[in-house]
């Protein structure tokens, strides 16, 4: 009899618990920061539109750019991440900003193109880290500012597009480490400036977006095949964009983020998308937390997530598993444009200089620690 009396009471209690109101979430959960962005030491001079390249001994060469007074610089400096110091280094043969830099297979740093006070440049030179000197090399076949560079698997840099100061370019060329000379390769389907080029896992190169006066802001993309030295159109992006960032993820896809779709460079985008080489298509993914443009390319961290920083005051992490961006603790002093950044072996990333919204460059640097 006790059992018969107890069972209905137990059932009622369970039903009451099930019917009890649950705590409801009031909006999305706040995102916890991933990693930290903190101030680093100042460079020896303010710079914007400069480059940063990792040397053989893991120090970093900072080259050219414009100072806080708008002067185009030939000066360079070396950042030592162990000592946290900047030291003046040798001068380039030509002052330049908006140039490209590539680490060569002989451990030298190739500097090419950009703009000097006299206009767009076709000249190139390399930095020998053992002697600390710059040596002039062959001229490119076109003067180029705002071009993109990717080092191919054979060690030769591929330079695409840019502007010669008069028109945007559809041409491309490669540099030979052995001869110090440039060789033209096939032309792109569209002239492009401020686009991206990304080395894919199979050795081909993905070219995305950019701008030109005739076609405006581009959503098109194409593939360069080093076996044929030719470009082939691939699927279009969902968003026309230039001044954006791209990074190859460990799963073989390419993350495209930010940029702008306005010809005057205003109105940064917060959208992002993924390119899949297997299907040759782009898929929309989660949005950035903060719209950003004129930023360095992204960096893959040791845990396979990707870091985006610059072009805005914040930094954020993309997680391929959740297809979402999460904020990084800490921030820059203000939104910084055309800064330079590099990643070190420990997974940390250094960001150097850049312009503020008024176009004034800074000597400040920052350190991202996972």
């Amino acid at each position: 009899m006790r059992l018969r009396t107890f069972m209905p009471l137990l059932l009622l209690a369970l039903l009451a618990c099930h019917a009890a109101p649950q705590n409801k979430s009031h909006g999305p959960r706040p995102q916890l920061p991933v990693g930290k962005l903190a101030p680093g030491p100042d460079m020896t001079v303010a710079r914007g539109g400069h480059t940063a390249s990792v040397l053989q001994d893991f120090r970093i060469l900072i080259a050219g750019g414009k100072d806080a007074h708008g002067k185009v610089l030939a000066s360079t400096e070396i950042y030592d991440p162990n000592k946290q110091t900047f030291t003046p280094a040798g001068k380039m043969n030509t002052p330049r900003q908006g140039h490209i830099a590539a680490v060569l297979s002989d451990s030298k740093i190739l500097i090419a193109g950009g703009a000097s006070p006299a206009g767009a440049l076709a000249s190139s030179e390399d930095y020998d880290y053992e002697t600390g000197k710059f040596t002039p090399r062959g001229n490119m076949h076109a003067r180029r500012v705002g071009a993109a560079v990717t080092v191919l698997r054979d060690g030769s840099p591929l330079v695409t597009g840019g502007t010669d100061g008069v028109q945007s370019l559809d041409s491309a060329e490669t540099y030979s480490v052995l001869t110090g000379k440039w060789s033209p390769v096939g032309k792109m389907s569209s002239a492009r400036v401020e686009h991206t080029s990304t080395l894919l896992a199979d050795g081909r190169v993905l070219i995305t977006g950019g701008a030109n006066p005739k076609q405006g802001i581009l959503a098109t993309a194409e593939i360069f095949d080093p076996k044929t030295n030719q470009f082939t159109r691939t699927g279009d992006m969902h968003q026309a964009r230039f001044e954006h960032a791209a990074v190859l993820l460990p799963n073989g896809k390419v993350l495209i983020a930010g940029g702008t779709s306005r010809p005057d460079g205003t109105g940064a985008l917060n959208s992002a998308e993924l390119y899949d080489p297997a299907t040759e298509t782009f898929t929309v993914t989660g949005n950035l937390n903060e719209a950003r443009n004129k930023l360095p390319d992204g960096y893959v961290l040791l845990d396979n997530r990707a870091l985006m920083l610059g072009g805005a005051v914040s930094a954020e992490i993309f997680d391929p598993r959740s297809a979402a961006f999460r904020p990084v603790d800490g921030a820059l002093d203000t939104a910084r444009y055309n800064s330079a950044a590099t990643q070190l072996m420990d997974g940390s990333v250094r960001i150097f200089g850049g312009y503020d919204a008024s176009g004034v460059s800074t000597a400040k640097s920052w350190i991202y620690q996972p």
Side-chain angles (χ1 to χ4, degrees), residues 126-364:
D126 66 31
Y127 174 81
D128 188 329
Y129 109 101
E130 292 184 350
T131 65
K133 294 181 179 180
F134 286 89
T135 302
R137 296 303 178 194
N139 284 354
M140 294 186 290
H141 292 264
R143 295 175 292 143
R144 300 180 189 272
V145 183
V149 62
T150 297
V151 178
L152 303 175
R153 280 187 173 175
D154 66 1
S156 58
L158 167 73
V159 177
T160 56
T163 176
D164 61 7
V166 177
Q167 60 184 353
S168 299
L169 304 170
D170 60 3
S171 62
E173 46 193 306
T174 56
Y175 176 82
S176 170
V177 178
L178 296 178
T179 65
K181 295 181 179 180
W182 295 87
S183 300
V185 295
K187 290 189 176 183
M188 296 184 290
S189 63
S190 297
R192 303 173 189 271
V193 62
E194 301 294 352
H195 53 293
T196 63
S197 63
T198 308
L199 185 67
L200 300 175
D202 61 7
R204 297 179 301 159
V205 179
L206 172 69
I207 311 293
T208 69
N212 69 57
K214 293 183 179 179
Q215 297 172 288
I217 313 306
L218 302 171
T220 59
E222 44 197 304
I223 297 289
F224 174 78
D225 190 338
K227 294 179 181 178
T228 62
N229 279 344
Q230 298 297 318
F231 291 87
T232 305
R233 280 283 302 271
T234 188
D236 288 356
M237 294 186 292
H238 292 265
Q239 171 68 60
R241 64 182 84 220
F242 76 118
E243 298 177 341
H244 52 292
V247 59
L248 177 68
L249 300 175
N251 61 11
K253 296 181 180 181
V254 180
L255 172 66
I256 308 292
T260 179
S261 58
R262 298 181 182 178
D264 62 0
T266 63
L269 299 167
N270 70 345
S271 64
E273 44 195 302
L274 294 166
Y275 177 76
D276 188 342
T279 61
E280 297 189 347
T281 58
F282 289 87
T283 304
V284 173
T285 190
N287 286 344
L288 292 157
N289 290 286
E290 187 173 7
R292 56 187 74 231
N293 67 325
K294 300 179 183 177
L295 66 159
D297 280 337
Y299 295 89
V300 173
L301 305 176
L302 299 181
D303 61 4
N304 295 335
R305 294 178 298 179
L307 173 69
M308 292 286 169
L309 75 174
V313 70
S314 66
E316 45 194 301
I317 296 289
F318 177 78
D319 190 336
R321 294 169 299 181
S322 62
F325 288 89
R326 291 179 60 187
V328 166
D329 189 20
L332 308 179
D333 62 330
T334 185
R336 287 289 167 188
Y337 307 99
N338 298 121
S339 54
T342 57
Q343 186 174 27
L344 299 180
M345 293 292 289
D346 63 359
S348 65
V349 176
R350 307 299 199 270
I351 180 169
F352 309 100
Y355 303 112
D356 63 16
S358 300
V360 178
S361 58
T362 183
K364 294 182 178 180

Side-chain angles (χ1 to χ4, degrees), residues 44-63:
T44 62
V45 65
R47 299 178 189 271
H50 52 299
T51 55
S53 308
V54 180
L55 300 172
Q56 190 175 20
D57 60 2
F58 304 113
R59 295 181 302 159
I60 298 169
L61 174 71
I62 314 292

